């Protein structure tokens, strides 16, 4: 597949990287004075304006420190280190909570000269909470149901409030919320349109499908928000999306006011999470549309599905669907016709944590793949208990920790992929795709290809049914 129009993404240059290197990731210069006091003030403010206090109270009481959660953590499985035991990490935050925000903790600390939050302790949290991918698999090993991913999220938010957050995440969110382009990959509207026109030409030339990427269509049913990086990196996924929409008469549009599904707020700040989902809801309203349609991206889907209702009007908020749900329904309705067994090589499926852990989307992609693949095999374990790619929680975008991500974090995933013997790993998530390509590269799985679900669907469409003659293959002609 040819590359789409090159658009420069806002990668860090060497000069930018001269900054705090105390942690394994780069951090922009920030006020390093009185960090313990400022950490506690930020923690206090968050407790006042959220429900986290209830969760912390509950977890403080029920956690048994049995470490059964560790058996489910892909990082611990590989490292075997105490700091990677989920409940050990969660305890870092619970200890601060108990000491400074509960009566018992305050009294016992006065009487027995107890724990004090120090700079060193803050540094330990800053390092450890970015070794967790917030994949939430450990929750299912915990007999008490403690959600360590949620604790990672909260700890990262407090750290971010005092200035400790990986620069890679900050740069992306800053461009999305304050930058000229308003999206994480800094793609201007003119480049977006150019890319989509190019993809339309490719679809026509290679498949004879006259599909469009409709822009700013008022009154369309769904407004489309893929991970915006797909416009740079995943042309086949997007062409598959457009082809399915065209053949099934889907009513969709891309809004040039806002077109990015990525939401790194989910990984370090509820404030940013809220502001980003509001941009999606506002674009749906501007275009007088009814629904939010998220592309192939796990965290983009979860952040919209779970938080658009929370932050954008409750029951009045626009419903959110993922494009795999759309295509699956079209298959069941008989509007999407595919060729059975069209994909000959062995195919397996990686469940993105953000859509499978909650059991939201598990069977739909499998049914689509079983309809088009001759040799589909499931990963073991699969579905809700599938293993994280190792790049979750936004860590995939932190290039400087690649060795950790693909080694300590990704080795278990690499072994799981290897055991399937698959040629294609379908990973319907922009973050998973990047991470899994690097995992395969760094773990010697050079014959494996990481693709999107719609990349394969595009190859398996029953064009004859739609009255489309497949173009003659050029190589064969020559
Ligand atoms: S959320 Fe995932 S990465 Fe984090 S501790 Fe649990 S299993 Fe490990
Ligand atoms: S990057 Fe993919 S596997 Fe990893 S946490 Fe996100 S959705 Fe899960």
């Amino acid at each position: 597949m040819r590359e789409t129009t090159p658009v420069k993404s806002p990668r860090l240059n060497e000069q930018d990287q001269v900054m705090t290197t105390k942690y394994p990731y780069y951090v922009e210069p920030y006020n390093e004075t009185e960090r313990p006091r400022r950490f506690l003030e930020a923690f206090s403010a968050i407790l006042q304006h959220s429900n986290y206090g209830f969760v912390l109270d509950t977890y403080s009481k029920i956690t048994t420190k049995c470490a059964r959660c560790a058996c489910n953590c892909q990082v611990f499985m590989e490292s075997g280190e105490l700091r990677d035991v989920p409940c050990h990490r969660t305890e870092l935050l619970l200890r601060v909570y108990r000491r400074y925000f509960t009566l018992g903790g305050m009294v016992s600390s006065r009487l027995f000269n107890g724990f004090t939050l120090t700079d060193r302790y803050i540094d330990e949290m800053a390092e450890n909470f970015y070794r967790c991918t917030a994949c939430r698999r450990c929750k299912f090993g915990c007999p008490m149901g403690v959600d360590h991913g949620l604790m990672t999220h909260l700890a990262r938010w407090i750290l971010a409030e005092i200035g400790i957050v990986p620069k890679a995440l900050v740069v992306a969110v800053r461009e999305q919320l304050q930058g000229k382009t308003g999206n994480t990959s800094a793609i201007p509207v003119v480049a977006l349109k150019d890319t989509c026109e190019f993809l339309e030409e490719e679809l026509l030339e290679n498949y004879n499908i006259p599909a469009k990427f409709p822009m700013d269509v008022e009154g369309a049913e769904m407004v489309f928000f893929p991970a915006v990086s797909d416009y740079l990196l995943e042309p086949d996924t997007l062409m598959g999306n457009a082809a399915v929409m065209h053949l099934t008469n889907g009513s969709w549009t891309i809004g040039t006011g806002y077109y990015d599904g990525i939401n790194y707020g989910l990984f370090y700040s509820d404030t940013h999470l809220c502001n980003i989902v509001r941009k999606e809801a506002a674009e749906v309203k501007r275009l007088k549309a009814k629904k939010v349609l998220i592309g192939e991206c796990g965290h983009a889907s979860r952040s919209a599905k779970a938080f658009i209702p929370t932050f954008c009007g409750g029951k009045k908020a626009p419903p959110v669907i993922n494009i795999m749900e759309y295509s699956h329904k079209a298959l069941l309705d008989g509007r999407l016709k595919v060729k059975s067994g069209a994909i000959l090589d062995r195919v397996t499926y990686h469940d993105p944590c953000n859509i499978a852990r909650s059991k939201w989307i598990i069977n739909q992609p499998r049914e689509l793949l079983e309809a088009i693949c001759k040799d589909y095999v499931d990963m073991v374990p699969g579905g809700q208990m599938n293993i994280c790619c190792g790049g979750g929680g936004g860590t995939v975008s932190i290039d400087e920790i690649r060795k950790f991500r693909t080694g300590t974090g990704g080795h278990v995933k690499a072994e799981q992929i290897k055991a399937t013997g698959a040629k294609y790993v379908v990973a319907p998530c922009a973050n998973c795709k990047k991470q899994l390509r690097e995992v395969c590269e760094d773990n010697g799985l050079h014959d494996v290809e990481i693709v999107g679900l719609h990349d394969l669907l595009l190859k398996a469409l029953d064009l004859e049914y739609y009255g489309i003659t497949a173009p003659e293959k050029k190589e064969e002609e020559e």
Side-chain angles (χ1 to χ4, degrees):
M1 177 61 225
R2 281 164 51 192
E3 289 191 349
T4 52
T5 316
V7 181
K8 210 168 176 298
S9 69
R11 295 182 67 80
L12 306 182
N13 58 41
E14 268 182 31
Q15 201 184 0
D16 290 334
Q17 292 180 0
V18 180
M19 57 195 72
T20 302
T21 50
K22 190 187 295 179
Y23 311 118
Y25 48 85
Y26 299 120
V27 174
E28 289 186 324
Y30 69 102
N31 174 8
E32 294 191 50
T33 61
E34 297 189 80
R35 294 190 310 167
R37 177 184 63 74
R38 291 191 299 114
F39 185 95
L40 293 172
E41 282 175 4
F43 201 164
S44 170
I46 288 171
L47 290 174
Q48 274 175 41
H49 299 286
S50 71
N51 299 327
Y52 283 110
F54 173 73
V55 179
L56 290 162
D57 258 339
T58 310
Y59 286 178
S60 291
K61 285 175 195 144
I62 64 173
T63 181
T64 60
K65 300 196 193 110
C66 61
R68 277 164 64 180
C69 52
C71 309
N72 278 3
C73 175
Q74 79 283 354
V75 180
F76 176 79
M77 282 184 225
E78 188 62 23
S79 79
E81 292 183 35
L82 178 63
R83 64 176 166 168
D84 294 322
V85 174
C87 56
H88 176 79
R89 181 185 295 110
T90 289
E91 182 61 21
L92 289 175
L93 188 64
L94 291 180
R95 190 179 302 151
V96 180
Y97 175 72
R98 280 194 218 97
R99 160 64 183 86
Y100 292 96
F101 300 102
T102 67
L103 191 59
M106 285 188 264
V107 172
S108 72
S109 121
R110 292 232 168 143
L111 291 178
F112 307 114
N113 203 14
F115 160 77
T116 302
L117 181 65
T118 60
D119 277 305
R120 199 168 156 190
Y121 194 90
I122 287 175
D123 288 338
E124 191 181 347
M125 286 194 284
E127 179 156 358
N128 284 357
F129 282 109
Y130 279 93
R131 289 176 69 85
C132 166
T133 62
C135 73
R136 300 186 301 154
R137 190 168 187 269
C138 49
K139 185 180 171 188
F140 298 96
C142 172
M144 313 308 285
V146 173
D147 185 346
H148 300 287
L150 182 65
M151 293 296 97
T152 289
H153 173 83
L154 174 59
R156 286 181 181 189
W157 186 14
I158 305 167
L159 289 165
E161 289 294 310
I162 65 168
I164 304 174
V165 52
K167 177 161 183 176
L169 298 178
V170 175
V171 168
V173 169
R174 188 186 294 138
E175 182 63 26
Q176 191 174 26
L177 291 175
Q178 296 156 26
K180 269 192 198 156
T181 61
N183 64 80
T184 48
S185 292
I187 301 175
V189 170
V190 62
L192 170 79
K193 288 185 172 171
D194 192 30
T195 301
C196 289
E197 275 171 25
F198 170 79
L199 296 177
E200 287 169 2
E201 285 163 16
E202 287 284 292
L203 271 169
L204 198 56
E205 194 178 313
N206 295 325
Y207 298 91
N208 247 352
I209 302 175
K212 296 285 172 209
F213 287 85
M215 299 272 168
D216 289 329
V217 179
E218 268 199 21
E221 188 190 359
M222 299 173 284
V223 181
F224 183 53
F225 302 96
V228 78
S229 53
D230 281 4
Y231 291 110
L232 302 174
L233 304 168
E234 306 297 342
D236 292 294
T237 306
L238 289 172
M239 287 196 296
N241 297 157
V244 168
M245 282 295 160
H246 173 76
L247 298 176
T248 60
N249 289 320
S251 171
W252 71 312
T253 188
I254 296 166
T256 58
Y258 187 65
Y259 41 91
D260 188 1
I262 287 179
N263 192 332
Y264 285 172
L266 184 69
F267 304 140
Y268 77 91
S269 163
D270 283 5
T271 311
H272 296 328
L273 169 67
C274 163
N275 290 334
I276 295 165
V277 292
R278 282 187 174 156
K279 287 184 78 165
E280 289 170 332
E283 187 65 349
V284 171
K285 190 170 176 194
R286 180 182 79 83
L287 291 167
K288 301 184 177 62
K290 293 191 184 71
K291 291 181 187 165
V292 171
L293 175 66
I294 304 287
E296 289 194 16
C297 185
H299 90 276
S301 303
R302 176 176 159 218
S303 53
K305 177 92 172 170
F307 296 101
I308 284 183
T310 308
F311 296 121
C312 310
K315 285 184 183 158
K316 290 187 185 154
V320 175
I321 64 164
N322 175 283
I323 195 145
M324 294 191 290
E325 292 181 291
Y326 174 87
S327 299
H328 178 250
K329 184 163 187 308
L331 182 77
L332 295 187
D333 290 352
R335 285 178 293 127
L336 178 62
K337 296 288 182 190
V338 292
K339 286 184 284 185
S340 170
I343 308 294
L344 303 177
D345 289 303
R346 179 169 291 184
V347 175
T348 190
Y349 179 76
H350 165 72
D351 292 271
C353 310
N354 282 303
I355 54 177
R357 210 66 84 210
S358 62
K359 285 193 179 169
W360 172 21
I361 299 173
I362 291 178
N363 294 329
Q364 301 91 324
R366 286 177 169 78
E367 286 174 22
L368 283 160
L369 288 170
E370 275 160 5
I372 61 172
C373 296
K374 195 161 186 205
D375 186 12
Y376 174 79
V377 292
D378 239 338
M379 286 188 186
V380 181
Q384 189 180 31
M385 289 305 287
N386 206 330
I387 290 169
C388 173
C389 61
T395 59
V396 66
S397 61
I398 309 173
D399 283 333
E400 59 271 25
I401 62 165
R402 172 165 173 165
K403 200 170 162 208
F404 167 76
R405 274 194 286 112
T406 63
T408 312
H411 185 246
V412 176
K413 188 79 214 179
E415 291 298 311
Q416 194 192 18
I417 291 172
K418 197 171 162 189
T420 65
K423 159 82 178 156
Y424 291 115
V425 176
V426 173
C429 168
N431 287 352
C432 299
K433 279 177 187 151
K434 176 178 186 287
Q435 165 72 2
L436 291 176
R437 281 173 190 143
E438 292 176 356
V439 163
C440 288
E441 202 175 307
D442 294 356
N443 287 277
L445 301 180
H446 301 298
D447 294 334
V448 175
E449 273 188 51
I450 310 297
V451 295
L453 176 68
H454 284 79
D455 308 32
L456 295 189
L457 274 180
L458 177 62
K459 291 183 172 51
L461 293 168
D462 186 352
L463 296 181
E464 257 178 47
Y465 172 84
Y466 295 102
I468 294 173
T469 315
E472 287 167 28
K473 292 197 179 139
K474 285 175 196 157
E475 297 94 320
E476 284 173 14
E477 275 175 6
E478 283 158 11

